[in-house]
Amino acid sequence: MFRRAFWFTTGAAAGVWATAKVQRKLRSLAPDALAVRAAGKAVDTGHRLKDFALDVKAGMAQREGELNDALGLDAPPPGKAAGPGLPAQARRPQLGPAHHRQGPDRPYDRNEDH
């Protein structure tokens, strides 16, 4: 009699445990839970990529400084701006309206270039 009660209780406990585990798994596979988990992983990946880009940028600046010191290039060459971009004479001139072939009153024509 005790043996039957033991196995009945063990089976009932195993059934409750299995049911709870299946329900937990189903809840974790629900669309809302999957979306939240995917969004969290995307944010984490974005943070890792940003950290990587910052590390690469810092390494590039450090290496550029080392190369400049090794080559004796501490100051920018004369005639060049210290900031980013090209000097004024090296920039492309802005094209005026005469250089625009396509516009609202003139649609693109493939045969125009031949």
Side-chain angles (χ1 to χ4, degrees), residues 15-113:
V16 168
W17 175 78
T19 303
K21 189 163 179 104
V22 167
Q23 289 297 323
R24 221 177 311 134
K25 189 64 169 176
L26 287 176
R27 274 195 302 265
S28 72
L29 294 175
D32 294 341
L34 290 175
V36 168
R37 195 165 51 217
K41 286 187 180 188
V43 168
D44 289 343
T45 302
H47 289 305
R48 286 190 198 128
L49 285 173
K50 183 179 121 187
D51 291 342
F52 175 72
L54 291 174
D55 288 345
V56 168
K57 188 175 180 180
M60 286 172 41
Q62 178 185 358
R63 183 64 179 147
E64 184 178 3
E66 292 171 0
L67 290 173
N68 285 340
D69 289 343
L71 297 173
L73 300 174
D74 293 335
K80 284 212 169 194
L86 297 173
Q89 67 269 19
R91 291 189 191 126
R92 289 181 66 185
Q94 293 292 344
L95 298 178
H99 296 292
H100 291 104
R101 300 185 128 189
Q102 182 178 346
D105 56 337
R106 194 167 171 176
Y108 179 73
D109 182 10
R110 285 183 22 170
N111 295 326
E112 197 171 72
D113 296 333

